[in-house]
Amino acid sequence: IYASGRPTSEVFEQLNNITAAAIRSATVSEKTKVAFYELLQEKAKFHLAADAGDPRYPFFLYNFYNSIGDNTNALVYAQMAYDLSPKKQSFAQALALIHIKRGESDKAIELVRKAYQSDPRDLDSLIYYVSMSVDAAQNKTGGFDFVKLGGVAQIIADAYHQNKHEIGLKPELWEPFKQTKQPQAAKVLAQRLGELIPEHKAEFEA
């Protein structure tokens, strides 16, 4: 396809996917893995120059490096895609995910906060923001920082009062608390939500 003329973005995306699958495979020879990787590098260099303003190409490369566990290069290309299109929710979320993997939760939270605030009516971006904030509230021992949980409650309450998002009533919000070493963490969050959204206090504390 590449030899026949300039390929589409879909072709480059497939090259990324095939190369990642080859590298992860236990049955593909090292020679073949190297050949695929070198081809990908060659075509990536071409597209990043020829399509310099198109964020899809660095995003494809982010997906490739993320899938093979190379967080350093994944960060480079996630940042590149985000810089080209900072309002794209998926780019912000991808960059945030890499920061989380690198232990940089503050940077991750700031990214998803900005993404949500750019369109506060978007329930999906709110869910991502809250979910990542809950994850960031956990410490290395599996417990929760109650002060940070208070911040999570405030995010949920603001979304409810401003846009009637009822994420606090969704079962998936409470999943991270089921296996925690601090069973009282859920009660702390529920109590704070009841204070901030009194009309649903009984449901939070049920």
Side-chain angles (χ1 to χ4, degrees), residues 41-116:
Q41 292 303 300
E42 176 189 338
K43 301 311 176 186
K45 183 177 180 180
F46 166 76
H47 285 296
L48 291 175
D51 304 286
D54 191 334
R56 292 176 298 172
Y57 292 97
F59 191 65
F60 294 150
L61 290 165
Y62 150 75
N63 282 323
F64 166 72
Y65 284 111
N66 185 49
S67 70
I68 64 171
D70 184 344
N71 291 335
T72 299
N73 277 309
L75 175 62
V76 170
Y77 291 108
Q79 185 70 59
M80 189 181 298
Y82 176 77
D83 289 343
L84 288 169
S85 185
K87 292 184 178 180
K88 183 76 170 178
Q89 297 284 350
S90 58
F91 297 166
Q93 292 167 3
L95 183 54
L97 177 62
I98 291 299
H99 281 305
I100 286 291
K101 288 183 176 181
R102 291 165 57 89
E104 300 164 345
S105 60
D106 289 346
K107 292 181 179 180
I109 295 299
E110 180 63 13
L111 281 163
V112 293
R113 181 189 68 78
K114 287 182 178 179
Y116 167 63

